[in-house]
Amino acid sequence: MPHTDGLQILWFGVIALLWIYYFFLEGFDFGVGMLLPFIGRDEIERRMVIRSIGPVWDGNEVWLIFAGGATFAAFPLWYATLFSAFYIPLFLILVGLILRGVSFEFRHQKDDERWRHRCDWMTFVGSLLPAVLWGVAFADIVQGIPINAQHQFTGSLLDLLNPYGLLGGLTFGLLFLLHGATYLSMKLTDAVGERAHTVASRLAWPAAFVVLGFLTYTFINAVTSNNTGVVPGPIPIGAVALIGVSAPLLRGRFHGWAFLCTGGAITLMVATIFLNLYPRVLASSTNAANSLTIVNASASHYSLTVITIVAAIFLPIVILYQAWAYWVFRQRVTREEFELPKIFQKRTPQSKPDGA
């Protein structure tokens, strides 16, 4: 068996952390986007919802670029096989992200209620597609897809839409929806904040049961498959427990703590997936020997050394900058910010977007 380089283990962990960071931050963005057409009853409330993530949503997407770039640099064969196997889902995810970005940027450029309504539904679709499809993709990555001895994908789209993959999509979508509703409960005031609180409170227990079902399925898959990683029991149990804890916290209106719990559940659930996957990076359902691992999918030791140095320099800078941005825009969004005197309301369509 080829020798395992310590840098290969390090970069497997770094990529896992990048995806965790991405899903923690982008997860509530997706949830807010899915709630936008329903939770805002008038134009001001919908603008409040958009403003809540306006200053940060595009920064959150940076972590997807980091995760993809790190995968390409550290495990190029993993990157190549992923894009070959998940071409259609990844294309649809990209379409969703484009739709959401376009709707945010152009919603306020035209003083037309029907235009804004269409943009709100573009935001909904652009949030729902990635949220669900990421769940399908990661469930398939850990369960396995048809890969031959040359590490080429030999299946079709139907192979990706299996029961476990679909359950993964439902789990990610529902958990992100809860995460977004909890974020809005923490971030918004007035009636729309109360509405978000109600939605989050009602979603907590259904989300806990769905996550429990997904992680139970993951455990069964680990037991019945060969060459799977060992997942410490407290990690998946903790994911379900944190969602359960968020329910009484929401009832007590401890929205900040509830938000940390839903984010913690996302963190532990994604950690469970990666721990179950290790030392593989992409499982083969055809033959376990065809699976991609941190060894056979890895870049050279020299390449890993170079990207380690680069990451050690630039990643802390990006994290500090993003933390500063969240601190600057930490205030809750109120209705009074949008109820301007009539003399200014005529300028609204030409003014900067809420998130600018």
Side-chain angles (χ1 to χ4, degrees), residues 137-164:
F138 273 88
D140 285 328
I141 286 171
V142 72
Q143 178 177 245
I145 58 176
I147 301 175
N148 62 20
Q150 290 73 43
H151 305 302
Q152 296 174 340
F153 178 63
T154 58
S156 65
L157 180 62
L158 292 179
D159 292 302
L160 306 180
L161 301 178
N162 54 76
Y164 181 63

Side-chain angles (χ1 to χ4, degrees), residues 61-308:
E61 289 188 348
V62 168
W63 296 101
L64 173 60
I65 299 173
F66 279 157
T71 303
F72 174 77
F75 302 102
L77 186 56
W78 183 16
Y79 182 91
T81 308
L82 271 179
F83 270 78
S84 174
F86 294 91
Y87 180 84
I88 294 178
L90 289 174
F91 174 76
L92 292 175
I93 288 172
L94 179 61
V95 169
L97 295 176
I98 292 172
L99 279 177
R100 192 179 61 151
V102 168
S103 64
F104 279 156
E105 296 298 331
F106 287 90
R107 185 182 189 276
H108 305 282
Q109 302 304 318
K110 189 175 181 180
D111 190 12
D112 183 348
E113 182 63 28
R114 290 177 299 177
W115 168 259
R116 290 193 291 264
H117 181 73
R118 285 194 290 267
C119 286
D120 292 343
W121 281 101
M122 285 172 61
T123 301
F124 170 78
V125 173
S127 301
L128 178 66
L129 271 178
V132 172
L133 290 176
W134 280 130
V136 173
F138 273 88
D140 285 328
I141 286 171
V142 72
Q143 178 177 245
I145 58 176
I147 301 175
N148 62 20
Q150 290 73 43
H151 305 302
Q152 296 174 340
F153 178 63
T154 58
S156 65
L157 180 62
L158 292 179
D159 292 302
L160 306 180
L161 301 178
N162 54 76
Y164 181 63
L166 295 175
L167 179 59
L170 174 63
T171 303
F172 272 58
L174 189 57
L175 188 51
F176 290 161
L177 192 63
L178 171 63
H179 197 40
T182 306
Y183 175 80
L184 289 176
S185 303
M186 176 182 66
K187 192 71 176 175
L188 301 182
T189 60
D190 305 298
V192 66
E194 285 298 314
R195 225 169 283 130
H197 168 82
T198 301
V199 171
S201 299
R202 292 177 178 176
L203 281 176
W205 285 113
F209 283 113
V210 171
V211 171
L212 175 62
F214 175 72
L215 293 178
T216 300
Y217 203 147
T218 303
F219 173 76
I220 294 173
N221 177 67
V223 171
T224 57
S225 301
N226 295 322
N227 196 30
T228 56
V230 177
V231 181
I235 294 179
I237 293 173
V240 179
L242 283 174
I243 304 176
V245 169
S246 71
L249 288 173
L250 285 165
R251 283 199 302 270
R253 296 186 175 274
F254 298 104
H255 295 130
W257 288 108
F259 175 73
L260 291 177
C261 284
T262 56
I266 292 172
T267 298
L268 294 181
M269 188 175 73
V270 178
T272 298
I273 291 174
F274 274 92
L275 287 170
N276 182 250
L277 191 61
Y278 182 84
R280 303 163 301 163
V281 292
L282 182 59
S284 171
S285 60
T286 306
N287 187 331
N290 298 340
S291 297
L292 295 177
T293 69
I294 63 172
V295 176
N296 62 26
S298 173
S300 67
H301 179 80
Y302 175 77
S303 297
L304 293 175
T305 302
V306 171
I307 63 174
T308 300

Side-chain angles (χ1 to χ4, degrees), residues 10-33:
L10 171 67
W11 274 99
F12 180 84
V14 169
I15 290 171
L17 288 173
L18 289 173
W19 280 110
I20 287 171
Y21 205 76
Y22 171 67
F23 286 134
F24 185 104
L25 297 176
E26 192 76 335
F28 69 77
D29 283 353
F30 289 147
V32 170

Side-chain angles (χ1 to χ4, degrees), residues 306-334:
V306 171
I307 63 174
T308 300
I309 295 171
V310 172
I313 295 172
F314 288 102
L315 272 180
I317 296 173
V318 176
I319 292 172
L320 287 173
Y321 172 77
Q322 192 167 41
W324 173 81
Y326 272 94
W327 175 258
V328 169
F329 296 103
R330 67 188 182 279
Q331 295 84 1
R332 301 186 75 179
V333 181
T334 64

